[in-house]
Amino acid sequence: MNISDTHLHPQVYLLVAAFLLAVGIYGLVKRRTLIGMLISGELIFSAAMLNFVAVNHFFAPEPAQGQVFVLFIMGLAAAEVAVALSIVIAVYRNYRSIESAELSELQR
């Protein structure tokens, strides 16, 4: 397979999206800091966006629907990052750490 022909196969995009989803879920489970968990969540959002664009480009009759969904997901991701970073800053100001294991007072 020539590298310039990869844009013709939806399997390539779906495999990359599956890889991003797997790395995001692994990072969400294994990361101990709140920032690491936030970045892993963004990888999961990126996998969803890539899936929407690839499926829409190759299988849907209306090409604009997937792009609208991606714009909606990008808006959700930006809002999620803003809220999560404000929570991380508030946690750091109170506990002087962003390690999730050290935040035992939040479990009560």
Side-chain angles (χ1 to χ4, degrees):
M1 174 174 23
N2 189 359
I3 193 72
S4 64
D5 293 337
T6 57
H7 68 281
L8 300 176
H9 304 287
Q11 294 87 3
V12 174
Y13 298 104
L14 297 177
L15 283 175
V16 170
F19 177 74
L20 284 175
L21 179 67
V23 169
I25 289 173
Y26 178 78
L28 201 59
V29 171
K30 288 294 183 181
R31 285 291 173 181
R32 295 174 44 190
T33 63
L34 298 176
I35 298 294
M37 291 177 180
L38 183 64
I39 291 171
S40 298
E42 292 302 314
L43 283 176
I44 293 172
F45 275 130
S46 297
M49 287 190 282
L50 184 58
N51 255 342
F52 271 116
V53 169
V55 168
N56 186 38
H57 179 73
F58 291 105
F59 303 116
E62 179 62 38
Q65 290 176 346
Q67 295 169 2
V68 170
F69 275 112
V70 167
L71 288 175
F72 183 71
I73 291 172
M74 289 173 75
L76 281 177
E80 179 245 347
V81 166
V83 171
L85 283 179
S86 65
I87 291 172
V88 168
I89 289 171
V91 165
Y92 182 76
R93 284 184 181 169
N94 288 332
Y95 298 101
R96 294 290 175 206
S97 175
I98 56 171
E99 294 284 329
S100 61
E102 296 176 6
L103 303 175
S104 61
E105 290 184 24
L106 294 176
Q107 294 176 352
R108 296 181 196 168

